[in-house]
Amino acid sequence: MAADLTEEEYDALDEYFTKNPPKIDPTKRGTGFFTRRTQQARTITVDNLSAAYLTTKAIADHKTPADIISEMVQERIAATV
């Protein structure tokens, strides 16, 4: 976009945003575009058997599937140290 601006348009935008900085709402922390992208990048997909196992184990242990995965990963890491 910036490449399509004339020098005058660029100066006008610069002046506008210098005098009117964007409002930041600290209560909305973690809801922006980049945070959502990061969260999406951390999303994993598992096969049906793994999903069923994680769900069953989570229910039995009163935990979330993420907790079960975290424990499994930590156990594997501890085993290699």
Side-chain angles (χ1 to χ4, degrees):
M1 180 178 152
D4 298 332
L5 296 176
T6 65
E7 193 67 31
E8 292 79 22
E9 290 170 326
Y10 177 81
D11 289 338
L13 282 174
D14 181 50
E15 184 176 341
Y16 173 80
F17 283 110
T18 299
K19 292 180 179 178
N20 305 292
K23 304 281 189 275
I24 298 174
D25 184 354
T27 62
K28 293 184 178 180
R29 184 175 182 173
T31 61
F33 173 80
F34 292 107
T35 301
R36 287 193 311 271
R37 283 293 203 180
T38 301
Q39 290 168 346
Q40 289 172 353
R42 291 180 175 207
T43 301
I44 61 167
T45 303
V46 296
D47 58 86
N48 287 335
L49 178 63
S50 299
Y53 172 81
L54 288 169
T55 303
T56 303
K57 181 88 170 125
I59 290 170
D61 293 352
H62 302 289
K63 298 180 180 179
T64 66
D67 291 334
I68 303 300
I69 293 170
S70 179
E71 289 173 0
M72 292 170 71
V73 169
Q74 290 175 26
E75 288 171 7
R76 295 290 294 268
I77 291 171
T80 61
V81 175

